[in-house]
Amino acid sequence: VIIPRMEYDLVAKKPIYCSSARINTKGKREFTYGRMEIRAKASKAKGTWSAGWMLGANNDTKTWPLCGEIDILEHIGRLKKHLLFSLHSKNHNHTRKDGIQYTTNVTFDVDFSDDFHVYAMEWTKDYIEYFVDGKSYCRYNKADDTDQSHDSWPFDKPFYLILNTAVGGGLGGPVDDSNIPFEFIIDYVRVYQKK
């Protein structure tokens, strides 16, 4: 799916038209628990936002953030050595300023747009843990939240996988069109689950 987007070049005072792409497994393959791995090379262009993430499969009836969101990989092109690991729910999301935010910002010694890396998430009924190249960087435990309801932890039902590169916007930032075409290269996606 190609999603058109318009940004505005403040220097030249003209609109810049870009497109971004998204693929997802909704209605094809949905998952509850397991280990998800994405081997990818993130986009290096300023204004891009490479992501591998999941949404609750019930998002037709329970819109975001009630459906839940699990971000396995978020890389912002202008922050080449930086990753975000996040969980979003009704009670815990970036639009709320009054509570716990399940977002961890990590700065690394490598530029994620220079080479492939394996981004992984282990998801159980009790926790969600994030890994890069086999090393754990953060873990969110359900038991750490005083509110054990679905509004805080909706991560106990089917989710589907999304891979996309967003262009511009609040997190992507101003677009540098000198780097077109923008590339977020996926080598593989693997899902491991117990039978």
Side-chain angles (χ1 to χ4, degrees):
V1 176
I2 302 298
I3 305 164
R5 184 172 191 97
M6 186 186 83
E7 291 294 322
Y8 199 76
D9 182 337
L10 297 176
V11 176
K13 298 189 185 313
K14 64 177 184 176
I16 301 170
Y17 294 93
C18 300
S19 294
S20 58
R22 170 189 286 193
I23 59 172
N24 69 68
T25 66
K26 184 170 177 128
K28 301 171 200 75
R29 188 65 73 117
E30 295 162 358
F31 311 95
T32 307
Y33 309 135
R35 180 180 174 90
M36 287 64 181
E37 292 183 355
I38 302 168
R39 185 172 187 269
K41 184 191 293 189
S43 174
K44 63 181 158 188
K46 290 181 181 176
T48 60
W49 173 12
S50 303
W53 53 298
M54 303 179 83
L55 273 179
N58 64 344
N59 69 330
D60 290 333
T61 57
K62 298 247 184 213
T63 58
W64 188 94
L66 282 75
C67 64
E69 176 182 334
I70 303 171
D71 298 318
I72 303 167
L73 152 68
E74 288 187 286
H75 177 268
I76 297 126
R78 71 182 186 276
L79 304 172
K80 300 187 185 315
K81 298 181 178 183
H82 187 80
L83 296 177
L84 298 172
F85 307 107
S86 302
L87 301 177
H88 301 290
S89 65
K90 178 181 177 184
N91 289 345
H92 307 302
N93 67 76
H94 67 277
T95 66
R96 294 178 60 112
K97 307 297 182 202
D98 59 347
I100 300 168
Q101 300 302 309
Y102 288 123
T103 297
T104 301
N105 304 311
V106 181
T107 301
F108 295 80
D109 293 330
V110 298
D111 180 340
F112 290 101
S113 62
D114 281 345
D115 205 351
F116 286 91
H117 295 273
V118 177
Y119 308 91
M121 178 211 36
E122 288 185 5
W123 173 23
T124 75
K125 65 182 181 62
D126 299 314
Y127 67 86
I128 294 176
E129 187 169 3
Y130 293 97
F131 301 81
V132 178
D133 295 328
K135 182 178 176 184
S136 173
Y137 283 91
C138 71
R139 176 172 166 155
Y140 302 125
N141 297 298
K142 180 178 181 182
D144 290 344
D145 197 326
T146 55
D147 179 359
Q148 296 288 299
S149 74
H150 181 83
D151 287 346
S152 287
W153 193 268
F155 312 111
D156 55 1
K157 58 182 174 38
F159 275 64
Y160 65 93
L161 183 67
I162 303 164
L163 300 169
N164 71 285
T165 299
V167 178
L171 196 54
V175 177
D176 178 359
D177 60 349
S178 67
N179 289 311
I180 292 175
F182 307 137
E183 293 184 317
F184 175 32
I185 304 170
I186 310 295
D187 181 29
Y188 63 73
V189 175
R190 295 177 180 161
V191 178
Y192 302 90
Q193 292 182 300
K194 292 180 180 178
K195 288 190 176 185

